[in-house]
Amino acid sequence: MKTWFLRLEQREQLSLLLLAFALGMYVLYMLLWSPLDSARDQLTLQNRGVSESLQRVDAMVSEITQLRDSGGGNSKRRNLTSLINQSTGRLQLQVSRLQPNSRGEIQVRLESAVFDDLLQWLHEMEYREALLVREVSITQGGAVGRVNATVRIAQAG
């Protein structure tokens, strides 16, 4: 190949060298630069999407913080035991066991409770008192419309 190249005129050799250089540059562009450029553009689009998502999350966090701060009395720590005793007494639910645990939750055992009163009490605990009803276990009681229930309640936040 070298002898063939050396037999060519100087003008033809220069043309072949320029053609080889151009071909090499084209191959370099197609194999290296173009894929890297496409990957960069794709990453730019992904970053823009993540940035927009982050802005939406920041806006939601600000809104939640503002709502929590304006909530007033519901965000304060309260004595769950007295709150549960008052609310169950008001609805005439009989508490057979009230057991606090190490996580700040209270397990309440209600015996022979009227089902509708139990549901009203659970609704009141979550929506009016802003407590978290973590777990509820309900079984049939001794009479029609009566149930036995075990409820685990915690402070929100």
Side-chain angles (χ1 to χ4, degrees):
M1 182 116 163
K2 185 176 179 183
T3 57
W4 171 80
F5 182 75
L6 292 175
R7 274 193 268 148
L8 296 174
E9 291 182 27
Q10 187 177 3
R11 188 183 210 177
E12 291 172 333
Q13 288 177 354
L14 184 60
S15 294
L16 278 175
L17 286 175
L18 285 175
L19 181 63
F21 178 75
L23 186 62
M25 293 303 287
Y26 176 76
V27 167
L28 248 156
Y29 175 79
M30 292 306 287
L31 292 178
L32 294 176
W33 186 263
S34 182
L36 288 175
D37 191 43
S38 296
R40 183 190 56 148
D41 290 344
Q42 186 178 4
L43 287 174
T44 301
L45 287 174
Q46 285 177 346
N47 284 343
R48 189 172 299 135
V50 168
S51 176
E52 290 170 359
S53 294
L54 181 61
Q55 288 174 353
R56 286 192 303 270
V57 168
D58 284 342
M60 286 184 226
V61 166
S62 299
E63 184 178 345
I64 289 170
T65 303
Q66 183 181 10
L67 288 172
R68 185 181 298 153
D69 291 344
S70 67
N74 285 341
S75 64
K76 295 178 183 174
R77 290 280 179 204
R78 297 169 287 179
N79 185 343
L80 284 180
T81 306
S82 65
L83 182 67
I84 289 170
N85 283 332
Q86 290 171 2
S87 61
T88 54
R90 187 172 54 253
L91 292 171
Q92 297 177 350
L93 295 170
Q94 293 188 2
V95 176
S96 64
R97 186 178 73 217
L98 196 64
Q99 181 177 2
N101 66 20
S102 61
R103 294 180 301 254
E105 301 170 343
I106 292 186
Q107 186 175 29
V108 182
R109 176 72 182 165
L110 302 166
E111 299 285 337
S112 191
V114 176
F115 183 70
D116 292 339
D117 292 343
L118 173 66
L119 292 182
Q120 181 180 351
W121 179 70
L122 291 172
H123 183 269
E124 183 179 309
M125 291 294 99
E126 280 211 340
Y127 294 102
R128 194 169 82 178
E129 300 298 338
L131 297 174
L132 297 175
V133 176
R134 296 243 185 232
E135 185 179 328
V136 178
S137 173
I138 300 174
T139 58
Q140 287 182 338
V144 175
R146 300 247 176 207
V147 294
N148 299 325
T150 304
V151 181
R152 194 165 44 107
I153 297 177
Q155 297 266 5

